[in-house]
Amino acid sequence: MWGHRPESGYTAGTSLAGYKVEASDGHIGKVDKHNDEVDASYLVVDTGVWIFGKHVLLPAGTITRVDSENEVVHVALTKEQIKNSPEFDKDKHLDDRDHHTRTGDYYGNNTPPGAPGTGPAGTL
């Protein structure tokens, strides 16, 4: 869940900050912060006006494809899944292991079965 998928096209050490983020059903915002630490990789996405300026934490395992040429990150989630994700305060939750666990549980249990890179139970 917290690591980049080999098939995503992500190159270690590449900053994704500023990239546009596309859910399976449309644009959701831009990457505000990117961390690519082993087993702790994530994106903080600024959703802008889409959900009233909310920031969301997306584990790197939700990334299906990185388009470096166009600076776009594609994720295996719908807008609704992202909108309903655990509340995230980047000043409070960024290094909070419990919040990361809750977020990982949410996305692991809410990824559609058969989505790219998911196991038989729909987990990443």
Side-chain angles (χ1 to χ4, degrees), residues 14-38:
T14 301
S15 174
L16 301 177
Y19 279 41
K20 296 174 189 167
V21 181
E22 293 287 327
S24 60
D25 57 352
H27 180 74
I28 62 158
K30 282 193 167 192
V31 178
D32 184 53
K33 179 174 174 47
H34 170 235
N35 176 13
D36 71 349
E37 291 178 34
V38 175

mmCIF file with all atom_site columns, all heavy atoms in Angstrom, residues 14-38:
data_model
loop_
_atom_site.group_PDB
_atom_site.id
_atom_site.type_symbol
_atom_site.label_atom_id
_atom_site.label_alt_id
_atom_site.label_comp_id
_atom_site.label_asym_id
_atom_site.label_entity_id
_atom_site.label_seq_id
_atom_site.pdbx_PDB_ins_code
_atom_site.Cartn_x
_atom_site.Cartn_y
_atom_site.Cartn_z
_atom_site.occupancy
_atom_site.B_iso_or_equiv
_atom_site.pdbx_formal_charge
_atom_site.auth_seq_id
_atom_site.auth_comp_id
_atom_site.auth_asym_id
_atom_site.auth_atom_id
_atom_site.pdbx_PDB_model_num
ATOM 1   N N   . THR A 1 14 ? 12.183  10.816 -8.157  1.00 0.00 ? 14 THR A N   1
ATOM 2   C CA  . THR A 1 14 ? 11.475  11.846 -8.925  1.00 0.00 ? 14 THR A CA  1
ATOM 3   C C   . THR A 1 14 ? 10.439  12.510 -8.030  1.00 0.00 ? 14 THR A C   1
ATOM 4   O O   . THR A 1 14 ? 9.627   11.830 -7.416  1.00 0.00 ? 14 THR A O   1
ATOM 5   C CB  . THR A 1 14 ? 10.758  11.225 -10.142 1.00 0.00 ? 14 THR A CB  1
ATOM 6   O OG1 . THR A 1 14 ? 11.712  10.576 -10.965 1.00 0.00 ? 14 THR A OG1 1
ATOM 7   C CG2 . THR A 1 14 ? 10.020  12.280 -10.941 1.00 0.00 ? 14 THR A CG2 1
ATOM 8   N N   . SER A 1 15 ? 10.459  13.817 -7.958  1.00 0.00 ? 15 SER A N   1
ATOM 9   C CA  . SER A 1 15 ? 9.437   14.526 -7.189  1.00 0.00 ? 15 SER A CA  1
ATOM 10  C C   . SER A 1 15 ? 8.171   14.658 -8.027  1.00 0.00 ? 15 SER A C   1
ATOM 11  O O   . SER A 1 15 ? 8.218   15.069 -9.184  1.00 0.00 ? 15 SER A O   1
ATOM 12  C CB  . SER A 1 15 ? 9.920   15.912 -6.792  1.00 0.00 ? 15 SER A CB  1
ATOM 13  O OG  . SER A 1 15 ? 8.867   16.625 -6.162  1.00 0.00 ? 15 SER A OG  1
ATOM 14  N N   . LEU A 1 16 ? 7.052   14.298 -7.426  1.00 0.00 ? 16 LEU A N   1
ATOM 15  C CA  . LEU A 1 16 ? 5.760   14.424 -8.110  1.00 0.00 ? 16 LEU A CA  1
ATOM 16  C C   . LEU A 1 16 ? 5.015   15.684 -7.689  1.00 0.00 ? 16 LEU A C   1
ATOM 17  O O   . LEU A 1 16 ? 3.895   15.921 -8.142  1.00 0.00 ? 16 LEU A O   1
ATOM 18  C CB  . LEU A 1 16 ? 4.907   13.183 -7.842  1.00 0.00 ? 16 LEU A CB  1
ATOM 19  C CG  . LEU A 1 16 ? 5.523   11.845 -8.282  1.00 0.00 ? 16 LEU A CG  1
ATOM 20  C CD1 . LEU A 1 16 ? 4.622   10.683 -7.892  1.00 0.00 ? 16 LEU A CD1 1
ATOM 21  C CD2 . LEU A 1 16 ? 5.802   11.838 -9.770  1.00 0.00 ? 16 LEU A CD2 1
ATOM 22  N N   . ALA A 1 17 ? 5.616   16.495 -6.827  1.00 0.00 ? 17 ALA A N   1
ATOM 23  C CA  . ALA A 1 17 ? 4.982   17.739 -6.383  1.00 0.00 ? 17 ALA A CA  1
ATOM 24  C C   . ALA A 1 17 ? 4.650   18.607 -7.589  1.00 0.00 ? 17 ALA A C   1
ATOM 25  O O   . ALA A 1 17 ? 5.461   18.778 -8.498  1.00 0.00 ? 17 ALA A O   1
ATOM 26  C CB  . ALA A 1 17 ? 5.889   18.484 -5.421  1.00 0.00 ? 17 ALA A CB  1
ATOM 27  N N   . GLY A 1 18 ? 3.419   19.103 -7.620  1.00 0.00 ? 18 GLY A N   1
ATOM 28  C CA  . GLY A 1 18 ? 2.954   19.945 -8.715  1.00 0.00 ? 18 GLY A CA  1
ATOM 29  C C   . GLY A 1 18 ? 2.262   19.179 -9.827  1.00 0.00 ? 18 GLY A C   1
ATOM 30  O O   . GLY A 1 18 ? 1.619   19.782 -10.681 1.00 0.00 ? 18 GLY A O   1
ATOM 31  N N   . TYR A 1 19 ? 2.382   17.851 -9.850  1.00 0.00 ? 19 TYR A N   1
ATOM 32  C CA  . TYR A 1 19 ? 1.716   17.046 -10.878 1.00 0.00 ? 19 TYR A CA  1
ATOM 33  C C   . TYR A 1 19 ? 0.202   17.107 -10.680 1.00 0.00 ? 19 TYR A C   1
ATOM 34  O O   . TYR A 1 19 ? -0.284  17.205 -9.551  1.00 0.00 ? 19 TYR A O   1
ATOM 35  C CB  . TYR A 1 19 ? 2.148   15.584 -10.792 1.00 0.00 ? 19 TYR A CB  1
ATOM 36  C CG  . TYR A 1 19 ? 3.468   15.249 -11.452 1.00 0.00 ? 19 TYR A CG  1
ATOM 37  C CD1 . TYR A 1 19 ? 4.581   16.086 -11.358 1.00 0.00 ? 19 TYR A CD1 1
ATOM 38  C CD2 . TYR A 1 19 ? 3.608   14.060 -12.154 1.00 0.00 ? 19 TYR A CD2 1
ATOM 39  C CE1 . TYR A 1 19 ? 5.784   15.750 -11.959 1.00 0.00 ? 19 TYR A CE1 1
ATOM 40  C CE2 . TYR A 1 19 ? 4.811   13.726 -12.756 1.00 0.00 ? 19 TYR A CE2 1
ATOM 41  C CZ  . TYR A 1 19 ? 5.892   14.568 -12.650 1.00 0.00 ? 19 TYR A CZ  1
ATOM 42  O OH  . TYR A 1 19 ? 7.088   14.239 -13.242 1.00 0.00 ? 19 TYR A OH  1
ATOM 43  N N   . LYS A 1 20 ? -0.542  17.048 -11.765 1.00 0.00 ? 20 LYS A N   1
ATOM 44  C CA  . LYS A 1 20 ? -1.993  16.927 -11.701 1.00 0.00 ? 20 LYS A CA  1
ATOM 45  C C   . LYS A 1 20 ? -2.324  15.505 -11.274 1.00 0.00 ? 20 LYS A C   1
ATOM 46  O O   . LYS A 1 20 ? -1.561  14.580 -11.551 1.00 0.00 ? 20 LYS A O   1
ATOM 47  C CB  . LYS A 1 20 ? -2.622  17.202 -13.065 1.00 0.00 ? 20 LYS A CB  1
ATOM 48  C CG  . LYS A 1 20 ? -2.414  18.609 -13.562 1.00 0.00 ? 20 LYS A CG  1
ATOM 49  C CD  . LYS A 1 20 ? -2.945  18.756 -14.969 1.00 0.00 ? 20 LYS A CD  1
ATOM 50  C CE  . LYS A 1 20 ? -2.530  20.099 -15.534 1.00 0.00 ? 20 LYS A CE  1
ATOM 51  N NZ  . LYS A 1 20 ? -2.758  20.173 -16.973 1.00 0.00 ? 20 LYS A NZ  1
ATOM 52  N N   . VAL A 1 21 ? -3.475  15.337 -10.616 1.00 0.00 ? 21 VAL A N   1
ATOM 53  C CA  . VAL A 1 21 ? -3.894  14.007 -10.169 1.00 0.00 ? 21 VAL A CA  1
ATOM 54  C C   . VAL A 1 21 ? -5.236  13.679 -10.792 1.00 0.00 ? 21 VAL A C   1
ATOM 55  O O   . VAL A 1 21 ? -6.187  14.453 -10.693 1.00 0.00 ? 21 VAL A O   1
ATOM 56  C CB  . VAL A 1 21 ? -3.980  13.929 -8.628  1.00 0.00 ? 21 VAL A CB  1
ATOM 57  C CG1 . VAL A 1 21 ? -4.385  12.527 -8.191  1.00 0.00 ? 21 VAL A CG1 1
ATOM 58  C CG2 . VAL A 1 21 ? -2.651  14.316 -7.993  1.00 0.00 ? 21 VAL A CG2 1
ATOM 59  N N   . GLU A 1 22 ? -5.280  12.517 -11.445 1.00 0.00 ? 22 GLU A N   1
ATOM 60  C CA  . GLU A 1 22 ? -6.491  12.044 -12.109 1.00 0.00 ? 22 GLU A CA  1
ATOM 61  C C   . GLU A 1 22 ? -6.991  10.783 -11.430 1.00 0.00 ? 22 GLU A C   1
ATOM 62  O O   . GLU A 1 22 ? -6.266  9.785  -11.334 1.00 0.00 ? 22 GLU A O   1
ATOM 63  C CB  . GLU A 1 22 ? -6.210  11.728 -13.583 1.00 0.00 ? 22 GLU A CB  1
ATOM 64  C CG  . GLU A 1 22 ? -5.876  12.935 -14.426 1.00 0.00 ? 22 GLU A CG  1
ATOM 65  C CD  . GLU A 1 22 ? -7.071  13.818 -14.729 1.00 0.00 ? 22 GLU A CD  1
ATOM 66  O OE1 . GLU A 1 22 ? -8.194  13.300 -14.859 1.00 0.00 ? 22 GLU A OE1 1
ATOM 67  O OE2 . GLU A 1 22 ? -6.876  15.047 -14.828 1.00 0.00 ? 22 GLU A OE2 1
ATOM 68  N N   . ALA A 1 23 ? -8.237  10.833 -10.954 1.00 0.00 ? 23 ALA A N   1
ATOM 69  C CA  . ALA A 1 23 ? -8.905  9.642  -10.441 1.00 0.00 ? 23 ALA A CA  1
ATOM 70  C C   . ALA A 1 23 ? -9.403  8.844  -11.633 1.00 0.00 ? 23 ALA A C   1
ATOM 71  O O   . ALA A 1 23 ? -9.302  9.304  -12.790 1.00 0.00 ? 23 ALA A O   1
ATOM 72  C CB  . ALA A 1 23 ? -10.069 10.047 -9.534  1.00 0.00 ? 23 ALA A CB  1
ATOM 73  N N   . SER A 1 24 ? -9.975  7.683  -11.391 1.00 0.00 ? 24 SER A N   1
ATOM 74  C CA  . SER A 1 24 ? -10.475 6.870  -12.503 1.00 0.00 ? 24 SER A CA  1
ATOM 75  C C   . SER A 1 24 ? -11.621 7.552  -13.238 1.00 0.00 ? 24 SER A C   1
ATOM 76  O O   . SER A 1 24 ? -11.900 7.230  -14.384 1.00 0.00 ? 24 SER A O   1
ATOM 77  C CB  . SER A 1 24 ? -10.903 5.494  -11.997 1.00 0.00 ? 24 SER A CB  1
ATOM 78  O OG  . SER A 1 24 ? -11.928 5.622  -11.030 1.00 0.00 ? 24 SER A OG  1
ATOM 79  N N   . ASP A 1 25 ? -12.263 8.534  -12.576 1.00 0.00 ? 25 ASP A N   1
ATOM 80  C CA  . ASP A 1 25 ? -13.391 9.225  -13.201 1.00 0.00 ? 25 ASP A CA  1
ATOM 81  C C   . ASP A 1 25 ? -13.200 10.737 -13.326 1.00 0.00 ? 25 ASP A C   1
ATOM 82  O O   . ASP A 1 25 ? -14.158 11.484 -13.409 1.00 0.00 ? 25 ASP A O   1
ATOM 83  C CB  . ASP A 1 25 ? -14.699 8.905  -12.470 1.00 0.00 ? 25 ASP A CB  1
ATOM 84  C CG  . ASP A 1 25 ? -14.651 9.259  -10.985 1.00 0.00 ? 25 ASP A CG  1
ATOM 85  O OD1 . ASP A 1 25 ? -13.558 9.624  -10.471 1.00 0.00 ? 25 ASP A OD1 1
ATOM 86  O OD2 . ASP A 1 25 ? -15.687 9.148  -10.332 1.00 0.00 ? 25 ASP A OD2 1
ATOM 87  N N   . GLY A 1 26 ? -11.942 11.185 -13.350 1.00 0.00 ? 26 GLY A N   1
ATOM 88  C CA  . GLY A 1 26 ? -11.709 12.599 -13.599 1.00 0.00 ? 26 GLY A CA  1
ATOM 89  C C   . GLY A 1 26 ? -10.668 13.250 -12.706 1.00 0.00 ? 26 GLY A C   1
ATOM 90  O O   . GLY A 1 26 ? -10.123 12.643 -11.787 1.00 0.00 ? 26 GLY A O   1
ATOM 91  N N   . HIS A 1 27 ? -10.405 14.516 -12.981 1.00 0.00 ? 27 HIS A N   1
ATOM 92  C CA  . HIS A 1 27 ? -9.391  15.312 -12.285 1.00 0.00 ? 27 HIS A CA  1
ATOM 93  C C   . HIS A 1 27 ? -9.798  15.576 -10.836 1.00 0.00 ? 27 HIS A C   1
ATOM 94  O O   . HIS A 1 27 ? -10.944 15.908 -10.568 1.00 0.00 ? 27 HIS A O   1
ATOM 95  C CB  . HIS A 1 27 ? -9.211  16.643 -13.036 1.00 0.00 ? 27 HIS A CB  1
ATOM 96  C CG  . HIS A 1 27 ? -8.204  17.542 -12.429 1.00 0.00 ? 27 HIS A CG  1
ATOM 97  N ND1 . HIS A 1 27 ? -6.848  17.308 -12.526 1.00 0.00 ? 27 HIS A ND1 1
ATOM 98  C CD2 . HIS A 1 27 ? -8.347  18.670 -11.700 1.00 0.00 ? 27 HIS A CD2 1
ATOM 99  C CE1 . HIS A 1 27 ? -6.207  18.272 -11.880 1.00 0.00 ? 27 HIS A CE1 1
ATOM 100 N NE2 . HIS A 1 27 ? -7.094  19.108 -11.374 1.00 0.00 ? 27 HIS A NE2 1
ATOM 101 N N   . ILE A 1 28 ? -8.823  15.434 -9.904  1.00 0.00 ? 28 ILE A N   1
ATOM 102 C CA  . ILE A 1 28 ? -9.142  15.709 -8.494  1.00 0.00 ? 28 ILE A CA  1
ATOM 103 C C   . ILE A 1 28 ? -8.280  16.786 -7.864  1.00 0.00 ? 28 ILE A C   1
ATOM 104 O O   . ILE A 1 28 ? -8.589  17.267 -6.788  1.00 0.00 ? 28 ILE A O   1
ATOM 105 C CB  . ILE A 1 28 ? -9.063  14.440 -7.620  1.00 0.00 ? 28 ILE A CB  1
ATOM 106 C CG1 . ILE A 1 28 ? -7.656  13.872 -7.612  1.00 0.00 ? 28 ILE A CG1 1
ATOM 107 C CG2 . ILE A 1 28 ? -10.093 13.428 -8.041  1.00 0.00 ? 28 ILE A CG2 1
ATOM 108 C CD1 . ILE A 1 28 ? -7.376  12.997 -6.423  1.00 0.00 ? 28 ILE A CD1 1
ATOM 109 N N   . GLY A 1 29 ? -7.169  17.152 -8.481  1.00 0.00 ? 29 GLY A N   1
ATOM 110 C CA  . GLY A 1 29 ? -6.339  18.189 -7.881  1.00 0.00 ? 29 GLY A CA  1
ATOM 111 C C   . GLY A 1 29 ? -4.888  18.069 -8.298  1.00 0.00 ? 29 GLY A C   1
ATOM 112 O O   . GLY A 1 29 ? -4.571  17.512 -9.341  1.00 0.00 ? 29 GLY A O   1
ATOM 113 N N   . LYS A 1 30 ? -4.013  18.612 -7.432  1.00 0.00 ? 30 LYS A N   1
ATOM 114 C CA  . LYS A 1 30 ? -2.575  18.610 -7.688  1.00 0.00 ? 30 LYS A CA  1
ATOM 115 C C   . LYS A 1 30 ? -1.833  18.065 -6.481  1.00 0.00 ? 30 LYS A C   1
ATOM 116 O O   . LYS A 1 30 ? -2.271  18.227 -5.347  1.00 0.00 ? 30 LYS A O   1
ATOM 117 C CB  . LYS A 1 30 ? -2.068  20.024 -7.952  1.00 0.00 ? 30 LYS A CB  1
ATOM 118 C CG  . LYS A 1 30 ? -2.364  20.534 -9.324  1.00 0.00 ? 30 LYS A CG  1
ATOM 119 C CD  . LYS A 1 30 ? -1.568  21.789 -9.590  1.00 0.00 ? 30 LYS A CD  1
ATOM 120 C CE  . LYS A 1 30 ? -1.639  22.095 -11.081 1.00 0.00 ? 30 LYS A CE  1
ATOM 121 N NZ  . LYS A 1 30 ? -0.697  23.111 -11.476 1.00 0.00 ? 30 LYS A NZ  1
ATOM 122 N N   . VAL A 1 31 ? -0.678  17.464 -6.750  1.00 0.00 ? 31 VAL A N   1
ATOM 123 C CA  . VAL A 1 31 ? 0.170   16.961 -5.671  1.00 0.00 ? 31 VAL A CA  1
ATOM 124 C C   . VAL A 1 31 ? 0.788   18.153 -4.951  1.00 0.00 ? 31 VAL A C   1
ATOM 125 O O   . VAL A 1 31 ? 1.488   18.957 -5.560  1.00 0.00 ? 31 VAL A O   1
ATOM 126 C CB  . VAL A 1 31 ? 1.279   16.024 -6.211  1.00 0.00 ? 31 VAL A CB  1
ATOM 127 C CG1 . VAL A 1 31 ? 2.179   15.560 -5.070  1.00 0.00 ? 31 VAL A CG1 1
ATOM 128 C CG2 . VAL A 1 31 ? 0.677   14.833 -6.950  1.00 0.00 ? 31 VAL A CG2 1
ATOM 129 N N   . ASP A 1 32 ? 0.512   18.251 -3.666  1.00 0.00 ? 32 ASP A N   1
ATOM 130 C CA  . ASP A 1 32 ? 1.067   19.306 -2.827  1.00 0.00 ? 32 ASP A CA  1
ATOM 131 C C   . ASP A 1 32 ? 2.401   18.859 -2.231  1.00 0.00 ? 32 ASP A C   1
ATOM 132 O O   . ASP A 1 32 ? 3.336   19.627 -2.118  1.00 0.00 ? 32 ASP A O   1
ATOM 133 C CB  . ASP A 1 32 ? 0.075   19.653 -1.717  1.00 0.00 ? 32 ASP A CB  1
ATOM 134 C CG  . ASP A 1 32 ? 0.521   20.808 -0.863  1.00 0.00 ? 32 ASP A CG  1
ATOM 135 O OD1 . ASP A 1 32 ? 0.845   21.871 -1.419  1.00 0.00 ? 32 ASP A OD1 1
ATOM 136 O OD2 . ASP A 1 32 ? 0.534   20.657 0.390   1.00 0.00 ? 32 ASP A OD2 1
ATOM 137 N N   . LYS A 1 33 ? 2.459   17.587 -1.846  1.00 0.00 ? 33 LYS A N   1
ATOM 138 C CA  . LYS A 1 33 ? 3.668   17.014 -1.236  1.00 0.00 ? 33 LYS A CA  1
ATOM 139 C C   . LYS A 1 33 ? 3.786   15.568 -1.670  1.00 0.00 ? 33 LYS A C   1
ATOM 140 O O   . LYS A 1 33 ? 2.790   14.870 -1.823  1.00 0.00 ? 33 LYS A O   1
ATOM 141 C CB  . LYS A 1 33 ? 3.576   17.101 0.290   1.00 0.00 ? 33 LYS A CB  1
ATOM 142 C CG  . LYS A 1 33 ? 4.788   16.505 1.000   1.00 0.00 ? 33 LYS A CG  1
ATOM 143 C CD  . LYS A 1 33 ? 4.721   16.747 2.494   1.00 0.00 ? 33 LYS A CD  1
ATOM 144 C CE  . LYS A 1 33 ? 5.823   16.070 3.279   1.00 0.00 ? 33 LYS A CE  1
ATOM 145 N NZ  . LYS A 1 33 ? 7.161   16.185 2.804   1.00 0.00 ? 33 LYS A NZ  1
ATOM 146 N N   . HIS A 1 34 ? 5.016   15.130 -1.874  1.00 0.00 ? 34 HIS A N   1
ATOM 147 C CA  . HIS A 1 34 ? 5.286   13.747 -2.259  1.00 0.00 ? 34 HIS A CA  1
ATOM 148 C C   . HIS A 1 34 ? 6.410   13.217 -1.391  1.00 0.00 ? 34 HIS A C   1
ATOM 149 O O   . HIS A 1 34 ? 7.415   13.885 -1.188  1.00 0.00 ? 34 HIS A O   1
ATOM 150 C CB  . HIS A 1 34 ? 5.688   13.690 -3.739  1.00 0.00 ? 34 HIS A CB  1
ATOM 151 C CG  . HIS A 1 34 ? 6.207   12.358 -4.167  1.00 0.00 ? 34 HIS A CG  1
ATOM 152 N ND1 . HIS A 1 34 ? 7.422   12.205 -4.762  1.00 0.00 ? 34 HIS A ND1 1
ATOM 153 C CD2 . HIS A 1 34 ? 5.673   11.129 -4.071  1.00 0.00 ? 34 HIS A CD2 1
ATOM 154 C CE1 . HIS A 1 34 ? 7.614   10.930 -5.037  1.00 0.00 ? 34 HIS A CE1 1
ATOM 155 N NE2 . HIS A 1 34 ? 6.570   10.264 -4.615  1.00 0.00 ? 34 HIS A NE2 1
ATOM 156 N N   . ASN A 1 35 ? 6.219   12.032 -0.859  1.00 0.00 ? 35 ASN A N   1
ATOM 157 C CA  . ASN A 1 35 ? 7.244   11.360 -0.074  1.00 0.00 ? 35 ASN A CA  1
ATOM 158 C C   . ASN A 1 35 ? 7.485   10.006 -0.726  1.00 0.00 ? 35 ASN A C   1
ATOM 159 O O   . ASN A 1 35 ? 6.535   9.283  -0.994  1.00 0.00 ? 35 ASN A O   1
ATOM 160 C CB  . ASN A 1 35 ? 6.757   11.196 1.371   1.00 0.00 ? 35 ASN A CB  1
ATOM 161 C CG  . ASN A 1 35 ? 7.737   10.421 2.228   1.00 0.00 ? 35 ASN A CG  1
ATOM 162 O OD1 . ASN A 1 35 ? 8.867   10.199 1.838   1.00 0.00 ? 35 ASN A OD1 1
ATOM 163 N ND2 . ASN A 1 35 ? 7.293   10.017 3.388   1.00 0.00 ? 35 ASN A ND2 1
ATOM 164 N N   . ASP A 1 36 ? 8.749   9.660  -0.980  1.00 0.00 ? 36 ASP A N   1
ATOM 165 C CA  . ASP A 1 36 ? 8.993   8.353  -1.596  1.00 0.00 ? 36 ASP A CA  1
ATOM 166 C C   . ASP A 1 36 ? 9.892   7.464  -0.740  1.00 0.00 ? 36 ASP A C   1
ATOM 167 O O   . ASP A 1 36 ? 10.647  6.650  -1.251  1.00 0.00 ? 36 ASP A O   1
ATOM 168 C CB  . ASP A 1 36 ? 9.508   8.488  -3.033  1.00 0.00 ? 36 ASP A CB  1
ATOM 169 C CG  . ASP A 1 36 ? 10.927  9.006  -3.140  1.00 0.00 ? 36 ASP A CG  1
ATOM 170 O OD1 . ASP A 1 36 ? 11.479  9.471  -2.135  1.00 0.00 ? 36 ASP A OD1 1
ATOM 171 O OD2 . ASP A 1 36 ? 11.494  8.925  -4.245  1.00 0.00 ? 36 ASP A OD2 1
ATOM 172 N N   . GLU A 1 37 ? 9.771   7.598  0.579   1.00 0.00 ? 37 GLU A N   1
ATOM 173 C CA  . GLU A 1 37 ? 10.504  6.709  1.473   1.00 0.00 ? 37 GLU A CA  1
ATOM 174 C C   . GLU A 1 37 ? 9.999   5.282  1.293   1.00 0.00 ? 37 GLU A C   1
ATOM 175 O O   . GLU A 1 37 ? 8.801   5.055  1.101   1.00 0.00 ? 37 GLU A O   1
ATOM 176 C CB  . GLU A 1 37 ? 10.294  7.125  2.929   1.00 0.00 ? 37 GLU A CB  1
ATOM 177 C CG  . GLU A 1 37 ? 10.945  8.439  3.292   1.00 0.00 ? 37 GLU A CG  1
ATOM 178 C CD  . GLU A 1 37 ? 10.677  8.831  4.743   1.00 0.00 ? 37 GLU A CD  1
ATOM 179 O OE1 . GLU A 1 37 ? 10.589  7.929  5.590   1.00 0.00 ? 37 GLU A OE1 1
ATOM 180 O OE2 . GLU A 1 37 ? 10.542  10.035 4.990   1.00 0.00 ? 37 GLU A OE2 1
ATOM 181 N N   . VAL A 1 38 ? 10.900  4.328  1.394   1.00 0.00 ? 38 VAL A N   1
ATOM 182 C CA  . VAL A 1 38 ? 10.531  2.920  1.252   1.00 0.00 ? 38 VAL A CA  1
ATOM 183 C C   . VAL A 1 38 ? 9.478   2.550  2.303   1.00 0.00 ? 38 VAL A C   1
ATOM 184 O O   . VAL A 1 38 ? 9.631   2.864  3.479   1.00 0.00 ? 38 VAL A O   1
ATOM 185 C CB  . VAL A 1 38 ? 11.777  2.023  1.398   1.00 0.00 ? 38 VAL A CB  1
ATOM 186 C CG1 . VAL A 1 38 ? 11.400  0.548  1.372   1.00 0.00 ? 38 VAL A CG1 1
ATOM 187 C CG2 . VAL A 1 38 ? 12.788  2.337  0.305   1.00 0.00 ? 38 VAL A CG2 1
#
